[in-house]
């Protein structure tokens, strides 16, 4: 029995590292054909023309902008929900709300995408005029809903696991309930909340299908939040099926995957650092 | 307490899912390599008279042909309880690549396979699929010339008033490079020239139709099963698509639908292909309603 566990551990480690190594190797092959600066700083992406050019800066820019906006939209809602569930809602209500929020995670992203395509995109197009409503804004709205349960659950756990003496002391000093939550509990739970936000960000960066349907997919820097653009994940999914293994184009897609991987690793490291720092207190 | 039960239930569901997925895999591996019964009556175009077919067949590729293959799969599975046909999209390029790599048994494509795959694959021509340029209902024109359509999709014309419509921006809806529909429109309408970089790209025929329905001043291209009453199909040079106009060669935009197999089809795959190409299936009212036309309509 013991060897089964050891074997599984070795297998998992092997799978993870071989994926990282493979993507890394394929991705760095790109630099045989083009310079580092061209890929990361040029904005001209025309891989299928006579003189192929691979400038991936627009994808990087849009990815970061979209993720940031999704987090900005999602965090206030998620925090209010977490505070409500942890400190205000009666027990029976919490018993219903918590599983209901967790169910959101199980909705396939295609469904989110279709709702975005049929409801959010036309609405934005009509409201703000002049465009179709595709772009970073609808993508961020969908992602905000998708990462809401992640941030909410983890923040709620962080709030509930605080020692009771904090709240008691604050109330004993004459603080109102609102002051206690805002000035005492939320700052104390900050590491847990940040972990939730970072996990949500990781999910938002990696989401492909739902974003593909509403982002518009033209390979350029968007002129506004409602202008068709492409992010790293959709650039990969759009061209992966029709490029041949080993071509510059295909390698450039692997390089984008590597960039995503590095961003994810960075986020995980950030979680670790936050967790470490909060232990010292 | 209830949380504990919830967690327990979730893990049971998860475990069941993992187990059943593994079960499926074995089944696939078994069926893909050695289908248990080969049909005998298939050649006579009446596969339903033969013995029960068992085994798993996977088909992927063209989202234009997908509705027909899916319908055929349902009927085929209703007739043969032991057969399992799985149909997915992904675009024609993906379908051809999948079948050549052995990922799926059948690759569906709206265009002929690229030269590098040709010698590996066996072609089965299933039917003719008329395609149409569809526009949002707020577009006032009913017909474009082929030249106008080419100028619209290559980005030369950007406003509907330039082709006799009202003063509104033209919003293009594309398919990605791996799409057969895109290649077809590029070949027939644009004479091989490049599409404009502007506009929106959608992943499947269904989402193109959806995007054109929702977006003011939009134009896209899909094959006829996806045309609903919420969009308008444009006439090309004054000719609408129909069985007769395609037969006379007046309507240019149609695709010959291919289903490729790697080497000669055998077992369940062969039985399924025979079924989808049989007169009996093709003359069903629900198939006729989709608008696909028999393959022998146009002499290539």
């Amino acid at each position: 029995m013991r060897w089964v566990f050891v074997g599984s551990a070795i297998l998992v480690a092997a799978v993870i590292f071989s994926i990282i190594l493979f993507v890394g190797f394929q991705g760095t092959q790109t630099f045989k054909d083009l310079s580092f600066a061209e890929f990361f700083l040029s904005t001209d992406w025309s891989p299928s023309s006579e003189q192929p050019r691979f400038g991936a800066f627009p994808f990087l820019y849009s990815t970061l902008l979209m993720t940031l906006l999704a987090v900005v939209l999602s965090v206030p809602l998620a925090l209010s929900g977490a505070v409500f569930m942890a400190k205000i809602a009666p027990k029976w209500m919490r018993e219903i709300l918590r599983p209901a929020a967790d169910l959101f995670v199980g909705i396939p992203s295609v469904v989110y995408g279709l709702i975005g395509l049929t409801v959010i995109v036309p609405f934005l197009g009509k409201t703000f005029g002049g465009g179709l409503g595709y772009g970073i804004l609808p993508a961020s709205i969908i992602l905000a809903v998708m990462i809401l349960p992640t941030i909410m659950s983890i923040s709620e756990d962080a709030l509930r696991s605080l020692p009771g003496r904090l709240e008691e002391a604050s109330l004993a000093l004459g603080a109102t309930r609102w002051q206690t939550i805002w000035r005492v509990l939320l700052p104390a739970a900050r590491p847990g909340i940040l972990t939730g936000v970072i996990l949500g960000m990781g999910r938002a960066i990696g989401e492909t299908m739902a974003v593909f349907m509403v982002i518009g997919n033209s390979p350029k820097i968007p002129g506004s939040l409602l202008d068709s653009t492409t992010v790293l994940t959709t650039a990969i999914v759009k061209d992966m099926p029709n490029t041949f293994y080993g071509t510059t184009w295909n390698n450039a897609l692997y390089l984008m995957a590597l960039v995503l991987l590095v961003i994810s690793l960075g986020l995980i490291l950030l979680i670790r650092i936050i967790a470490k720092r909060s232990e010292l207190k | 307490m209830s949380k504990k039960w919830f967690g327990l239930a979730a893990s049971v569901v998860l475990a069941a899912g993992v187990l059943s997925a593994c079960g499926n895999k074995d089944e696939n591996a078994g069926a893909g390599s050695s289908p248990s019964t080969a049909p005998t009556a298939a050649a006579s175009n009446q596969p339903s008279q033969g013995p029960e077919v068992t085994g798993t067949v996977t088909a992927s590729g063209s989202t234009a042909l997908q509705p027909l293959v899916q319908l055929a799969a349902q009927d085929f599975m209703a007739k043969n309880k032991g057969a399992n046909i799985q149909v997915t999209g992904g675009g024609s390029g993906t379908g051809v690549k999948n079948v050549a790599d052995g990922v799926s048994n059948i690759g569906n494509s709206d265009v002929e396979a690229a030269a590098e795959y040709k010698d590996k694959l066996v072609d089965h021509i299933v039917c003719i699929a008329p395609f149409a340029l569809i526009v949002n209902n707020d577009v006032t024109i009913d017909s474009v010339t082929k030249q106008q359509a080419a100028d619209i999709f290559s980005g030369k014309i950007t406003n509907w008033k330039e082709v006799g419509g009202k003063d509104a921006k033209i919003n293009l809806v594309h398919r990605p490079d791996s799409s057969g529909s895109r290649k077809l429109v590029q070949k027939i309408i644009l004479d091989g020239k490049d599409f404009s970089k502007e506009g929106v790209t959608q992943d499947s025929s269904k989402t193109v139709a959806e995007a054109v329905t929702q977006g003011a001043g939009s134009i896209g291209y899909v094959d006829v099963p996806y045309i609903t009453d919420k969009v308008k199909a444009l006439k090309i040079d004054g000719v609408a698509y129909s069985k007769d106009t395609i037969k006379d060669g007046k309507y240019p935009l149609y695709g010959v639908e291919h289903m490729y197999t790697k080497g000669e089809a055998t077992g369940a795959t062969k039985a399924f292909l025979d079924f989808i190409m049989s007169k009996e299936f093709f003359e069903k009212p629900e198939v006729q309603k989709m608008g696909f036309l028999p393959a022998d309509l146009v002499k290539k």
Side-chain angles (χ1 to χ4, degrees), chain A residues 194-253:
Chain A
L194 275 178
T195 306
V197 170
I198 288 169
L199 279 177
M201 261 175 92
R203 228 196 130 185
I205 282 182
E207 178 50 49
T208 309
M209 205 58 229
V211 174
F212 193 21
M213 289 172 158
V214 299
I215 195 106
N217 302 307
S218 32
K220 56 173 205 268
I221 291 207
S224 72
L225 288 181
L226 283 175
D227 189 12
S228 175
T229 180
T230 304
V231 293
L232 288 169
T233 46
T234 62
I236 295 171
V237 78
K238 195 171 109 180
D239 293 330
M240 210 44 131
N242 59 339
T243 53
F244 291 105
Y245 182 79
T247 54
T248 314
W249 189 354
N250 191 264
N251 288 339
L253 296 180

Side-chain angles (χ1 to χ4, degrees), chain A residues 15 26-27 35-36 40 121 138 184 188 215 222 231 240 267 275:
Chain A
V15 166
Q26 276 301 321
S35 68
F36 193 83
F40 284 104
V121 167
V184 179
I215 195 106
V231 293
M240 210 44 131
L267 289 176

Side-chain angles (χ1 to χ4, degrees), chain B residues 198-212:
Chain B
E198 288 299 315
V200 171
T201 302
Q202 286 293 355
D203 192 27
S204 70
S205 303
K206 183 177 162 42
T207 44
V208 167
E210 205 56 68
V212 172

Side-chain angles (χ1 to χ4, degrees), chain B residues 6 102 106 207 230:
Chain B
F6 185 75
I106 301 174
T207 44
K230 297 193 189 111

Side-chain angles (χ1 to χ4, degrees), chain B residues 97-268:
Chain B
K97 196 163 174 288
N98 280 353
V99 74
D101 294 347
V103 177
S104 51
N105 305 115
I106 301 174
N108 305 324
S109 175
D110 317 328
V111 285
E112 286 205 348
E116 63 260 34
Y117 291 124
K118 267 243 164 80
D119 42 1
K120 268 202 241 177
L121 302 176
V122 180
D123 187 1
H124 306 263
I125 292 179
V126 188
C127 60
I128 304 275
F131 279 72
L133 304 177
I134 52 170
V135 291
N136 184 286
N137 276 337
D138 73 350
V139 174
T140 48
I141 57 168
D142 296 317
S143 173
V144 284
T145 65
K146 187 166 157 275
Q147 187 54 47
Q148 282 171 336
D151 289 347
I152 287 171
F153 279 110
S154 62
K156 271 197 209 118
I157 293 179
T158 55
N159 194 307
W160 285 111
K161 70 175 184 223
E162 294 170 69
V163 289
K166 57 180 189 190
D167 182 6
K169 188 168 163 267
I170 295 179
N171 290 307
L172 302 174
V173 183
H174 299 290
R175 289 283 310 280
D177 286 331
S178 58
S179 152
S181 312
R182 181 188 174 105
K183 288 195 182 83
L184 202 74
V185 172
Q186 189 168 19
K187 195 174 81 184
I188 296 171
I189 302 284
L190 292 164
D191 298 320
K193 286 201 238 10
D194 279 347
F195 278 94
S196 157
K197 253 194 192 184
E198 288 299 315
V200 171
T201 302
Q202 286 293 355
D203 192 27
S204 70
S205 303
K206 183 177 162 42
T207 44
V208 167
E210 205 56 68
V212 172
T213 306
Q214 303 294 350
S218 304
I219 179 167
Y221 39 90
V222 292
D223 65 329
V224 293
Y226 292 96
I227 298 175
T228 60
D229 51 3
K230 297 193 189 111
V231 293
K232 189 158 65 175
L234 287 180
K235 294 176 181 153
I236 299 178
D237 292 325
V239 182
Y241 73 88
S242 74
K243 204 167 173 168
D244 298 336
T245 51
I246 288 181
K247 198 171 175 176
D248 305 344
K250 285 193 190 126
Y251 187 83
L253 192 57
Y254 59 85
V256 178
E257 299 295 327
H258 307 262
M259 287 172 89
Y260 286 100
T261 52
K262 193 176 181 178
E264 284 299 336
T266 53

